[in-house]
Amino acid sequence: GQQVMQIPQYQHVQEGEDFTTYCNSSTTLSNIQWYKQRPGGHPVFLIQLVKSGEVKKQKRLTFQFGEAKKNSSLHITATQTTDVGTYFCAGWRTGGGADGLTFGKGTHLIIQP
Amino acid sequence: GAVVSQHPSRVICKSGTSVKIECRSLDFQATTMFWYRQFPKQSLMLMATSNEGSKATYEQGVEKDKFLINHASLTLSTLTVTSAHPEDSSFYICSARRQAYEQYFGPGTRLTVT
């Protein structure tokens, strides 16, 4: 079945430093989504990438979708304490009535002031 | 728009009892809802896909007789954990699909089985 790998599992940065998390799928993805989950909270949708080579920006966040649609990355510039949380990538599965997202294991971002 | 609620938010039950969790899409109709489970510091694992008016499709390794899913209307899906045991303690999260690849997550239900 589809597997989505995400690295690193944990990332400690000083406030103001940049942060990147990487996502790789074992299969070609129709699209990839990124979520942020704060401690004790539920996943909150950040963005969806659909096109090969797509790059999208949200303020300090830059999302990329690989040319082969099998990998993606999230880059945060100049991290702030509000960026703390776990960032998940997720690929949409389709077929056979069993849809839904396959999530990566997530990257826990810890920021030291 | 696109709000999904879950009830209850927290539940503690005794081993052997059953617990029902509700997932509602408040401002849109969802022909498909999904149920995920998340253990502490781990990722979300899809348990089942729930389609309105039909039987749910369960992921491999998920016991359909233990995790009963009912999707009786376009705005409500329920997950019943039957004969719950401590190993079923987890964070259960539903999501509702509004269209195509667009889905919205509920706030989750934390189940503790004693």
Side-chain angles (χ1 to χ4, degrees):
Chain A
Q2 181 186 77
Q3 292 186 346
V4 177
M5 287 73 72
Q6 195 174 350
I7 58 169
Q9 187 174 0
Y10 292 90
Q11 184 73 59
H12 295 252
V13 300
Q14 295 283 339
E15 187 176 8
E17 291 182 338
D18 293 356
F19 158 77
T20 305
T21 172
Y22 301 90
C23 188
N24 282 285
S25 170
S26 58
T27 59
T28 301
L29 300 168
S30 54
N31 69 75
I32 194 158
Q33 300 181 4
W34 286 90
Y35 291 81
K36 177 183 179 180
Q37 186 176 24
R38 293 180 180 274
H42 64 279
V44 174
F45 175 80
L46 294 177
I47 209 160
Q48 175 177 275
L49 304 172
V50 179
K51 298 177 182 177
S52 169
E54 189 170 15
V55 178
K56 287 188 176 180
K57 291 191 174 185
Q58 290 179 350
K59 297 182 179 178
R60 294 179 294 104
L61 277 63
T62 302
F63 303 85
Q64 291 188 324
F65 200 10
E67 293 290 340
K69 300 183 74 173
K70 295 180 74 173
N71 59 71
S72 182
S73 65
L74 158 59
H75 180 81
I76 302 178
T77 304
T79 55
Q80 300 175 359
T81 54
T82 53
D83 295 326
V84 165
T86 303
Y87 293 85
F88 293 99
C89 63
W92 195 273
R93 309 138 29 118
T94 57
D99 288 329
L101 290 168
T102 299
F103 280 81
K105 291 189 180 296
T107 296
H108 303 265
L109 174 59
I110 299 111
I111 298 177
Q112 294 150 344
Chain B
V3 177
V4 177
S5 70
Q6 263 183 260
H7 177 80
S9 58
R10 289 178 179 271
V11 57
I12 301 173
C13 70
K14 293 186 176 180
S15 187
T17 61
S18 295
V19 174
K20 180 185 283 189
I21 302 169
E22 292 186 350
C23 177
R24 293 181 185 273
S25 55
L26 299 184
D27 52 1
F28 66 98
Q29 293 184 329
T31 54
T32 305
M33 291 186 174
F34 305 93
W35 288 94
Y36 295 85
R37 180 167 54 184
Q38 186 178 34
F39 291 107
K41 296 193 182 298
Q42 294 189 24
S43 188
L44 287 80
M45 297 296 294
L46 179 65
M47 298 175 66
T49 302
S50 169
N51 292 298
E52 187 265 338
S54 64
K55 291 184 179 181
T57 302
Y58 290 82
E59 293 299 295
Q60 192 173 10
V62 178
E63 299 174 59
K64 60 181 180 182
D65 294 330
K66 181 169 185 61
F67 299 99
L68 301 179
I69 292 172
N70 184 274
H71 193 160
S73 79
L74 289 172
T75 59
L76 172 64
S77 176
T78 60
L79 168 67
T80 301
V81 183
T82 62
S83 187
H85 291 287
E87 57 266 30
D88 298 323
S89 298
S90 187
F91 192 47
Y92 292 87
I93 308 174
C94 72
S95 70
R97 178 160 66 187
R98 188 164 70 172
Q99 58 182 359
Y101 302 121
E102 189 178 323
Q103 67 174 315
Y104 298 89
F105 283 86
T109 296
R110 191 163 302 283
L111 170 64
T112 303
V113 184
T114 60

